[in-house]
Amino acid sequence: MAGKKTAQQYTTLRVRLCPTPEQAALFEKTFGCCRYIWNQMLSDQQRFYLETGAHFIPTPAKYKTGAPFLKEVDNQALIQEYNQLSQAFRVFFKNPQVFGAPRFKRKKDDRDSFTACNHDFPSGPTIFTTREGIRMTKAGIVKAVFHRRPQAWWKLRRITVDRSRSGKYHASILYDCGTKPVQPVIPVPERTLGLKYSASQFYTADNGAAASPPHWMRQSQEKLCFLQRRLSGMQPGSRNYQETVQKYRLLHEHIANQRKDFIHKESRRIANAWDAVCVRAGDLADLPLTRENIRDAGFGKFREALRYKLARQGKALIEIDRYFPVTKCCSVCGQVQEAVSYRRKTWTCGRCGTLHLREVNAARNIKAQGLEQYFRTEEPRRSAYSQRG
C-alpha cells in the first residue's frame, strides 16, 4: 500500500473450512481441551479466593503434567483461554452490576470454538493463508472457501475456529489493515438520511423510500412447523430423529444467512450513498411492536453494521433520544399531537392541517433532531480540537 500507515483498522474475514477427518478430530479435541482448561482455571481461582481472599488464575502450563492430552493441541488456543478468562474477571471487577462473574462451560450450552494468535518467526508465520486454504499449527493446511481475499499489506493477527450446530466449520480471520486516517465528513441536510424502524417494511426513510425485505422466518414457518411436528412423533436418539434435527438446524442457519446477507448489503449501500444517517437510539424491544417481528428483522444488527461502515469513511451515525416524540410531532410546524395511533398509517396535524404519512413524518423528525443534536454537540468539539491542533 502506497503511503505510510498512520491509523489502525481491523477487518475480519469469515471463511468456510473443509477439514479432513483427521483435522476435524483435532478441532474437536481442541474444543474439548479449551473447555477443560477454562473450567480448571476457574475452579482453582475460586478455591484460591476462598482460602486466601486474593485473586489468582493459574496458567495453562500448570495442568499439562496431570493432563498430557493438552500437549496434543495448539498451545496458543490454551493461552487464549487464559487471556479470555482474565479479561472476563477484569470487566467483572470493574462493574459487577453490569457484567456477571465468569461461569463454568458446558458442552451442550456453549459454542465450540478456539482462538489462536499468529506469531512471526525467522522461519515464517505460524498462521497464513494459501491458495487452497489456511495453514494452522498442528492441523497443517486446512482447505477453505474464500469469498474475499486479503490485501497484500494486511497483517494476520489471529484466527478463531468454530463449529455451528449443523456441524459446519468456519474460521474468522482478524487482519490489521492499517490505513490513512479519514477526514470527518460534516453532514448537510441534502446528504443526510433519516431512518425510522418499521415492522412491515424494515425501515422508512425521510425521503419516502423504504426497504421491503422478505420476512425470512415467516416464509419458512411452514417448513419449521412441519419439521417440529415430525420431531414430536419420533423417538429421541433414533436415526430419523437425528436426521430431522439436522434439517431443522440447517433451515435455521439458512434463515440467519439470508438475514445477514440483506443487512450487510443494505448497510453498505446506504453508507456509500449518504454522508450521515440519523436513527433513534435505545432498545428495540421497548417499541410497541411484537418481539418476534424485531427478532426476525435484525434491525439492531443493521444499525451496528451501519455504524462501523460509516465510521470507516469518516461519516457519522447520529442517534437521537429514544423518548423524543418523532411519531406524534408534526415535521412542518412542530406541533405535538397526542392522539396518534400506531395502527394508523396517516394523520392530520391539528395546527397546520398537513396530512402526514406516519412513518415518513417520523423519519423526517429523526433527521431534523439528529442534525440539530450533531451541530449542538459534535461540531463545537471538532472546532475546538482543530484550533488546538
Side-chain angles (χ1 to χ4, degrees), residues 1 31 46 55-56 58 208 248 259-260 270 287:
M1 181 179 64
F31 296 150
Q46 292 179 352
H55 170 70
F56 173 74
Y248 186 78
R259 186 185 299 111
K260 287 188 290 187
I270 294 177
L287 296 177

Side-chain angles (χ1 to χ4, degrees), residues 4 40 52 83 107 139 149 162 164 190 198 211 217-218 260 268 313 332 346 361-362 372 380 389:
K4 185 179 179 181
Q40 290 296 320
T52 64
N83 294 337
K107 184 176 182 180
R149 286 285 180 174
D162 64 87
S164 64
E190 295 78 13
S198 172
M217 185 69 74
R218 189 179 304 172
K260 287 188 290 187
R268 171 55 61 194
Q313 303 181 45
V332 178
T346 61
N361 173 73
E372 179 184 351

Side-chain angles (χ1 to χ4, degrees), residues 15-20 23-24 27 128-136 139-146 149 159 161 169-171 173:
V15 300
R16 170 78 182 276
L17 297 180
C18 304
T20 62
Q23 293 170 338
F27 289 162
F128 57 87
T129 59
T130 64
R131 179 178 298 181
E132 297 181 354
I134 307 172
R135 192 272 179 188
M136 301 172 58
I141 297 179
V142 183
K143 188 176 180 181
V145 180
F146 291 87
R149 286 285 180 174
I159 182 173
V161 178
Y169 293 91
H170 295 86
I173 313 173

Side-chain angles (χ1 to χ4, degrees), residues 50-108:
L50 291 175
E51 294 175 356
T52 64
H55 170 70
F56 173 74
I57 303 177
T59 60
K62 172 187 174 182
Y63 305 97
K64 290 188 176 181
T65 303
F69 55 87
L70 294 176
K71 300 179 182 179
E72 301 176 6
V73 301
D74 186 5
N75 184 54
Q76 282 297 316
L78 306 181
I79 294 176
Q80 288 304 311
E81 290 296 313
Y82 172 82
N83 294 337
Q84 292 173 11
L85 183 60
S86 300
Q87 177 64 16
F89 273 109
R90 279 195 294 268
V91 297
F92 169 67
F93 292 145
K94 185 177 181 179
N95 195 345
Q97 288 76 22
V98 177
F99 300 98
R103 298 181 298 177
F104 292 99
K105 292 184 177 181
R106 297 192 302 176
K107 184 176 182 180
K108 64 178 182 179

Side-chain angles (χ1 to χ4, degrees), residues 169-330:
Y169 293 91
H170 295 86
S172 299
I173 313 173
L174 179 67
Y175 287 95
D176 180 3
C177 49
T179 182
K180 295 181 180 179
V182 295
Q183 295 296 328
V185 179
I186 306 301
V188 295
E190 295 78 13
R191 298 284 301 166
T192 302
L193 183 68
L195 295 182
K196 166 68 171 62
Y197 172 74
S198 172
S200 59
Q201 296 180 328
F202 191 69
Y203 73 75
T204 302
D206 63 281
N207 56 8
S212 299
H215 287 271
W216 303 277
M217 185 69 74
R218 189 179 304 172
Q219 287 187 343
S220 303
Q221 195 65 40
E222 292 185 4
K223 296 180 181 179
L224 291 172
C225 292
F226 173 74
L227 292 177
Q228 287 174 336
R229 286 195 299 267
R230 289 192 61 187
L231 285 173
S232 64
M234 292 182 179
Q235 181 68 28
S238 64
R239 181 176 178 179
N240 288 338
Y241 183 87
Q242 296 297 334
E243 291 178 354
T244 307
V245 168
Q246 179 69 4
K247 292 180 182 179
Y248 186 78
R249 291 172 176 173
L250 289 173
L251 181 56
H252 267 291
E253 187 174 309
H254 176 68
I255 295 170
N257 291 336
Q258 286 180 311
R259 186 185 299 111
K260 287 188 290 187
D261 179 74
F262 169 79
I263 286 173
H264 283 290
K265 288 181 179 178
E266 189 65 19
S267 60
R268 171 55 61 194
R269 185 189 67 81
I270 294 177
N272 292 343
W274 299 90
D275 291 344
V277 179
C278 302
V279 296
R280 186 162 63 174
D283 190 1
L284 296 176
D286 294 337
L287 296 177
L289 301 166
T290 62
R291 292 179 180 266
E292 288 74 13
N293 289 339
I294 297 173
R295 190 182 299 112
D296 186 23
F299 191 80
K301 182 175 290 187
F302 168 78
R303 190 169 56 188
E304 294 304 317
L306 195 58
R307 185 194 309 278
Y308 80 81
K309 289 174 183 176
L310 287 168
R312 289 188 175 183
Q313 303 181 45
K315 304 175 182 179
L317 178 69
I318 307 171
E319 294 183 326
I320 70 169
D321 185 12
R322 59 190 294 186
Y323 297 111
F324 185 80
V326 295
T327 304
K328 302 178 181 179
C329 182
C330 176

